[in-house]
């Protein structure tokens, strides 16, 4: 506490940490906020790079528009005029030797319309014939959390898992359906599974609830989602320090002490409260001393690694520009590229600003495919170029390419994830002046991260409000607690 101002330190300057700083600012002038990030830049997984002189997202490239938190934050920090809609949301699955449209009405890859599914050719005739057995099979008992694969396979057969659900989950989590939690990754399906026998019927009902005229599902920013962190940081009024890795976190008489800097020359920072907005592994290390129960749960959250290869071709390299927003690849098809985005097709503002270029991005690597990522940048770029040539007919080499590695970047919401998060929160609830936020908890997408940031900031503002009342009584919260 300095004069009448409290000091809150946010550890981690990804979108969650920056959003937390912005929400703290909404609590009034009585809070001074410092954001510390170990990297040389803020933004974490929101990062634009230059390819052929064009700023393009190398991390998150879109934000769900049907959930308000991400878009609302962009508007609140002055980026309303920068929001851009996609030109198409038509995505495909590259499987069984061809690009095939994702069936209309699918819910995280679970089909809801048999005719639409049949028209895509994604499943073999045998796989397709298995799906409607879902309507007559005896119920699949779901009393606790189960893996997505086990439930969907039981209802609709293995091919739906392999050729539809796997690529969709791979696109979001870079994860595997036999590990990922039904409750955490498909909450609506999990809820329906408890009372609705047929998964087809449940998926149809969930798909029907999607608003028909609510505009596009996703949106982005004109210069890339990578411009959001800077705008949020500026609007937060926080002091932003990069290249500052927090190594230790200790409770003190009145708050918290953070240790940063090299071991021989540590820097100590005092704070009234702390928000830990880093991925689970560093969060676990930071909390090991003060909240060991939370730390050990955090340590159990696995992360997948991946790489994004961005390619810029002359438009004339394509006999026909690729159609749709891009495609996903099922692991069973054994291709190194797990997804490709036709950025210049998906985002018309990119094509308008750079009409001579065709920008694409390829994602490489899922959980368990780490060996693939051990190749050097040139090899990964070559894999992506060969893939794009094979799938789209692109001739020649790209004008420019860029490989961005995202090691340990996507948390895996394994079976039991929601219970684990509940245990982490219960452990932290008893610790005054500490809150957590970020992608490890309630969703990996930007809106979910922003939502955890808002909750964390509210918890800290509540705590500081009570702490102030205590201090007016001339005593610190910790002293009062000690007096019992
Ligand atoms: C390639 C890729 C594509 C994606 N695409 C999308 C998409 O299109 N749409 C979408 O909604 N989501 C997408 N996501 C997911 C989303 O981008 C992330 O889940 C989200 O940005 C995570 O934000 P965060 O603040 O929780 O964590 P991070 O972005 O990981 O930020 C954490 C920060 O903490 C810092 N840090 C770590 N340890 C310390 C320490 N000890 N001391 C100080 N600082 C530390 C790091 O340097 C980092 O800046 C994508 C993710 C990836 C990897």
């Amino acid at each position: 506490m300095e004069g009448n101002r409290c000091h809150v330190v946010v550890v981690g300057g990804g979108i969650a940490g920056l959003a937390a700083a912005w929400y703290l600012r909404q609590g009034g002038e009585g809070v001074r906020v410092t954001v510390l990030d170990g990297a040389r830049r803020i933004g974490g997984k929101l990062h634009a790079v230059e390819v052929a002189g064009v700023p393009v997202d190398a991390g998150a490239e879109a934000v769900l528009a049907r959930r308000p938190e991400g878009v609302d934050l962009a508007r609140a920090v002055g980026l309303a005029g920068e929001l851009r809609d996609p030109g198409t949301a038509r995505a495909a699955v590259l499987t069984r030797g061809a690009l095939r449209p994702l069936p209309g009405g699918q819910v995280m890859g679970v089909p809801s319309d048999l005719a639409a599914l049949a028209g895509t050719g994604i499943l073999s005739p045998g796989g397709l014939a298995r799906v409607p057995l879902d309507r007559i099979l005896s119920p699949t008992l779901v009393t606790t959390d189960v893996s997505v694969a086990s439930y969907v396979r039981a209802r609709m057969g293995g091919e739906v898992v392999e050729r539809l659900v796997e690529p969709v989950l791979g696109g979001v989590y870079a994860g595997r359906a036999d590990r990922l939690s039904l409750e955490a990754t498909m909450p609506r399906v999990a809820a329906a599974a408890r009372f609705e026998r047929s998964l087809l019927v449940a998926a149809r009902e969930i798909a029907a609830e999607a608003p028909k005229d609510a505009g596009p599902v996703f949106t982005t920013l004109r210069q890339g989602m990578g411009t959001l962190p800077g705008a949020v940081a500026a609007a937060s009024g926080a002091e932003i320090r990069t290249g500052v890795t927090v190594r230790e976190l200790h409770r003190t008489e009145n708050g918290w002490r953070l240790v940063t800097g090299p071991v021989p020359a540590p820097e100590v920072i005092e704070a009234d409260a702390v928000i830990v907005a880093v991925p689970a592994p560093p969060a676990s290390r930071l909390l090991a001393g003060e909240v060991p129960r939370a730390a050990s749960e955090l340590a159990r959250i696995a992360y997948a690694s991946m790489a994004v290869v961005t390619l810029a071709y002359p438009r004339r390299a394509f006999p026909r520009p690729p159609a749709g927003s891009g495609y996903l690849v099922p692991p069973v098809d054994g291709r190194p590229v797990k997804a490709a985005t036709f950025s210049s097709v998906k985002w018309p503002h990119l094509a308008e600003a750079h009409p001579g270029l065709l920008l694409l991005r390829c994602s490489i690597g899922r959980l368990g495919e780490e060996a693939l990522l051990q190749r050097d940048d040139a090899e990964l770029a070559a894999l992506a170029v060969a893939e794009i040539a094979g799938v789209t007919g692109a001739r020649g080499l790209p004008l420019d390419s860029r490989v961005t590695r995202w090691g340990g970047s996507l948390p895996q919401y394994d079976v039991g994830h929601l219970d684990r998060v509940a245990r982490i929160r219960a452990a932290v609830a008893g610790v005054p002046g500490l809150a957590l936020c970020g992608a490890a908890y309630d969703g990996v997408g930007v809106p979910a991260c922003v939502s955890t940031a808002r909750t964390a900031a509210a918890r800290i503002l509540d705590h500081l409000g009570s702490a102030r009342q205590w201090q007016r009584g001339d005593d610190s919260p910790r002293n009062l607690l000690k007096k019992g």
Side-chain angles (χ1 to χ4, degrees):
M1 179 88 71
E2 302 148 356
N4 223 6
R5 286 186 103 198
C6 299
H7 183 210
V8 180
V9 172
V10 178
V11 186
I15 194 57
L18 295 168
W22 185 81
Y23 284 116
L24 287 169
R25 172 77 180 265
Q26 312 313 304
E29 291 299 320
V31 184
R32 176 167 82 85
V33 181
T34 305
V35 178
L36 304 176
D37 199 296
R40 273 180 308 206
R41 59 166 183 84
I42 55 167
K45 275 90 190 182
L46 269 58
H47 181 44
V49 296
E50 281 216 349
V51 184
V54 181
V56 284
D57 280 313
E61 51 111 36
V63 61
L64 201 56
R66 300 257 169 97
R67 245 192 102 151
E69 298 93 331
V71 175
D72 285 355
L73 181 65
R75 290 200 176 105
V77 301
L79 296 177
E82 295 290 294
L83 290 165
R84 294 291 182 275
D85 288 342
T88 172
R90 266 189 311 120
V93 179
L94 177 61
T95 190
R96 305 199 322 117
L99 278 181
R100 304 168 186 279
L102 257 182
Q106 54 84 26
V107 177
M108 289 296 279
V110 176
S112 65
D113 179 338
L114 275 179
L117 175 63
T120 67
I122 290 175
L123 302 193
S124 70
L128 192 62
R130 168 65 181 81
V131 181
L133 295 186
D134 161 71
R135 302 290 303 269
I136 52 173
L137 284 171
S138 54
T140 307
L141 208 58
V142 180
T143 51
T144 60
D145 195 14
V146 294
S147 74
V148 170
S150 69
Y151 180 67
V152 178
R153 186 180 295 116
R155 298 310 314 166
M156 293 183 166
E159 276 200 41
V160 169
V161 175
E162 283 172 5
R163 300 200 185 271
L164 278 161
V165 173
E166 285 284 18
V168 173
L169 287 176
V172 179
Y173 298 95
R176 302 270 181 184
D178 59 358
R179 283 187 61 158
L180 290 170
S181 147
L182 188 69
E183 282 184 350
T185 65
M186 299 190 185
R188 307 288 313 284
V189 172
R194 291 180 187 259
F195 62 87
E196 173 57 66
R197 185 178 70 169
S198 163
L199 178 53
L200 259 178
V201 170
R204 197 169 300 156
E205 283 169 7
I206 296 167
E209 283 166 22
K212 294 282 172 280
D213 48 4
V217 176
F218 289 99
T219 186
T220 194
L221 292 167
R222 186 174 62 86
Q223 303 263 46
M225 289 304 299
T227 53
L228 183 60
V232 178
S236 75
E239 182 190 355
I240 308 286
R241 293 182 57 193
T242 53
V244 182
T245 300
V246 179
R247 292 192 282 107
E248 294 173 31
L249 194 54
H250 305 285
R251 277 177 87 178
T252 61
E253 189 72 6
N254 296 310
W256 293 86
R257 177 171 300 132
L258 299 97
V259 181
T260 76
V263 177
E267 181 192 356
V268 170
I269 299 171
E270 304 284 344
D272 297 291
V274 173
I275 294 181
V276 174
V278 298
S284 168
R285 289 192 288 277
L286 288 174
L287 298 184
E290 299 292 349
V291 202
R293 289 219 323 273
S296 65
E297 295 287 353
L298 283 160
R300 290 191 173 87
I301 299 177
Y303 275 69
S305 298
M306 57 181 289
V308 170
V309 184
T310 310
L311 303 171
Y313 284 87
R315 194 163 270 267
R316 61 176 184 280
F318 291 79
R320 275 189 317 277
S325 60
Y327 63 85
L328 301 163
V329 186
V332 72
D333 282 270
R335 303 176 78 101
V337 169
K338 77 177 172 85
T341 305
F342 305 146
S343 308
S344 297
V345 182
K346 182 173 180 179
W347 305 113
H349 66 275
L350 266 183
E352 278 160 30
H354 309 282
L357 286 180
L358 216 144
L359 293 149
L360 309 97
R361 66 182 226 163
C362 293
S363 305
I364 298 181
R366 303 178 181 85
L367 191 73
E369 291 181 356
E370 290 74 19
L372 196 56
L373 299 175
Q374 279 159 14
R375 302 179 187 210
D376 65 23
D377 284 4
E379 285 178 284
L380 289 184
L383 280 178
V385 169
E387 167 83 10
I388 291 301
V391 174
T392 67
R395 287 187 295 249
L397 293 173
L399 296 170
D400 196 7
S401 66
R402 178 86 178 241
V403 176
T404 311
R405 291 173 187 270
W406 296 105
S409 59
L410 282 164
Q412 300 300 297
Y413 290 5
D414 287 346
V415 174
H417 180 79
L418 297 187
D419 287 344
R420 170 161 294 132
V421 170
R423 290 194 293 274
I424 293 169
R425 290 208 166 111
V428 170
V431 184
L434 176 69
L436 312 180
C437 62
Y441 308 101
D442 302 335
V444 300
V446 169
C449 294
V450 171
S451 170
T452 61
R454 184 172 55 192
T455 308
R459 176 175 152 80
I460 293 304
L461 290 173
D462 265 5
H463 162 75
L464 295 175
S466 337
R468 276 224 181 87
Q469 280 167 11
W470 268 318
Q471 280 187 341
R472 269 186 226 123
D474 221 4
D475 216 334
S476 76
R478 289 294 289 275
N479 287 344
L480 283 174
L481 287 174
K482 268 194 220 150
K483 284 176 190 170

